[in-house]
Amino acid sequence: MRADAVPAARSAASPLRNGVFMPWSPCRPSTDSFPGSGRFGNLSCPKPPPSGDGRTRAGTPGPRGRCTADRAGATAAGMARPGLPILGFMPAKPTAAQRRHAALRAGLDTQLAALGEAPYSGRDRPALVLAACAEAVLRARHAGAAPERAAVKAAVRGTLAELAERAPGHSLEVRVPPYGAVQVVEGPRHTRGTPPGVVETDPLTWLELAVGTTTWQEAVDAGAVSASGVRADLAPLLPLWPPRAPVDAAPVVSD
C-alpha cells in the first residue's frame, strides 16, 4: 500500500512503513533505508513529499546530502539553527584543563563560604584561581578548621599539573596521596616499575610547599616529605608562586 494512497486524515499524519504509520521528524535514526529517504551516517533524512499530497516535513536534504532544518521545524524544537547541519551542533567535550578549572572555582567558593569570607572576585585566570584556592585551604587549616575536601582535591591536582607543565619529564614521580601523582624533571625515563626518583608527601604539606609558606628543606627536616632516588630535590621548583601574603589573612589578588 502506497503512502500517498491512504485517506487524507491518515496521510496528513505520517507515511506507511512496513504497515505502520511513522511520524515525521527532521532526522530519524535508522539501520535500513526506505523509499523516498536520503542517508547521512546512521540517520534517515526524509526528502520533501510530492507536492499536493497535503503533507509537510520539517527536514530537507541539505548541501552534499546533509540534513538541514527549517525555522518551523527543528529550530523551534531547539535542535539546530536554520540552514545548518543538525549534527554540527553537538556540545564540545571539556578539556582536562577546563575540568580542573571548573573544579577549582567550585572548591574555592565552597572553602571561602566555610571560612565566612566573600566569594572570589579576582580575575578568572587559572593561576590566580589556583593560588587563591590553595591559600584558602591553608587559612582554614591555620584557623583550626578542617579544610573542605573538594577544595583540597582541586588545589592538589591543580598544583601537580602546574608542576608537571613547568618541569616536564619522567625521571621523578611526585606523589600526593590520595589525590594524585605526576612525573616530572627531565632525565632517565623508566618504562615499568618505580621511577628513578620518588617524592611523597601529604596534601596540606604539598600545598604549603606550593604556595611558599614552608620551604623544601624545612619539610624534609621535619619528616613531612619522603624523597628518595636521583633528582629527588624540588627546592629549585618550589614554591610555584612567590608568597604574596600570610595565609592566615585574606589574600590580596593582583592582576
Side-chain angles (χ1 to χ4, degrees):
M1 181 176 182
R2 294 176 51 191
D4 55 3
V6 298
R10 302 177 68 186
S11 64
S14 59
L16 268 175
R17 184 183 180 191
N18 298 330
V20 179
F21 281 91
M22 304 294 291
W24 292 114
S25 63
C27 288
R28 179 185 302 114
S30 176
T31 55
D32 57 346
S33 183
F34 58 93
S37 69
R39 296 299 301 276
F40 181 70
N42 291 328
L43 297 178
S44 289
C45 302
K47 293 181 179 179
S51 58
D53 68 348
R55 288 181 282 120
T56 60
R57 301 181 185 182
T60 59
R64 299 183 181 179
R66 295 189 178 184
C67 182
T68 60
D70 62 9
R71 291 181 181 272
T75 303
M79 295 177 62
R81 296 179 183 176
L84 293 177
I86 293 176
L87 299 182
F89 284 88
M90 297 295 290
K93 185 177 180 180
T95 65
Q98 290 172 332
R99 292 194 299 269
R100 282 197 305 269
H101 188 68
L104 271 172
R105 285 305 305 264
L108 173 57
D109 291 341
T110 301
Q111 185 63 74
L112 291 177
L115 289 169
E117 299 178 9
Y120 176 76
S121 59
R123 301 189 67 174
D124 195 29
R125 291 183 176 178
L128 296 177
V129 175
L130 178 56
C133 186
E135 291 170 355
V137 167
L138 295 178
R139 287 201 303 278
R141 180 192 189 186
H142 292 177
E148 295 293 319
R149 179 181 175 86
V152 177
K153 178 180 178 180
V156 167
R157 291 187 173 180
T159 49
L160 286 175
E162 181 73 15
L163 177 67
E165 184 177 344
R166 295 188 185 189
H170 299 276
S171 65
L172 178 66
E173 185 166 287
V174 181
R175 301 171 180 172
V176 186
Y179 298 123
V182 292
Q183 293 184 2
V184 296
V185 183
E186 294 181 353
R189 179 171 182 171
H190 74 291
T191 56
R192 47 196 281 185
T194 304
V198 175
V199 170
E200 184 170 334
T201 187
D202 64 274
L204 297 182
T205 298
W206 168 251
L207 292 180
E208 289 185 334
L209 289 168
V211 302
T213 57
T214 189
T215 66
W216 174 260
Q217 194 58 49
E218 290 172 348
V220 172
D221 293 343
V225 172
S226 170
S228 62
V230 297
R231 297 175 175 81
D233 184 3
L234 294 179
L237 301 173
L238 298 173
L240 297 176
W241 309 278
R244 296 179 295 175
V247 294
D248 55 353
V252 179
V253 179
S254 62
D255 295 340

